[in-house]
Amino acid sequence: MVRRWALVLVLGGVWWWAVLRLILEPEQAGLVEGAVAAGGWGLSLLPVHVTATARPGRASERAAQGRGDR
């Protein structure tokens, strides 16, 4: 458990370093900073696109009972 939190804190710190470097010194920021910042931002969107919109159990229960979606 401690290793996970340590990894999360380190990766979060690296992401913030990249973002702040891009904001404060954009002329000196390189490809690595841009890739780290874009990658972290992309990962933040992942849970929104992965979650289910409906409960899978309810539709199958209705179909089994013969009610369907009317």
Side-chain angles (χ1 to χ4, degrees):
M1 185 77 161
V2 173
R3 288 182 186 170
R4 274 190 205 168
W5 280 109
L7 180 64
V8 166
L9 289 175
V10 167
L11 291 177
V14 169
W15 184 80
W16 275 109
W17 166 79
V19 169
L20 289 175
R21 186 156 161 100
L22 283 169
I23 292 171
L24 299 175
E25 298 179 3
E27 65 277 349
Q28 292 186 3
L31 183 64
V32 174
E33 287 91 348
V36 169
W41 179 77
L43 284 175
S44 71
L45 296 178
L46 184 64
V48 175
H49 296 286
V50 174
T51 58
T53 57
R55 290 184 175 173
R58 291 188 178 230
S60 61
E61 288 173 9
R62 278 189 236 132
Q65 293 174 356
R67 290 190 293 188
D69 288 332
R70 294 183 202 171

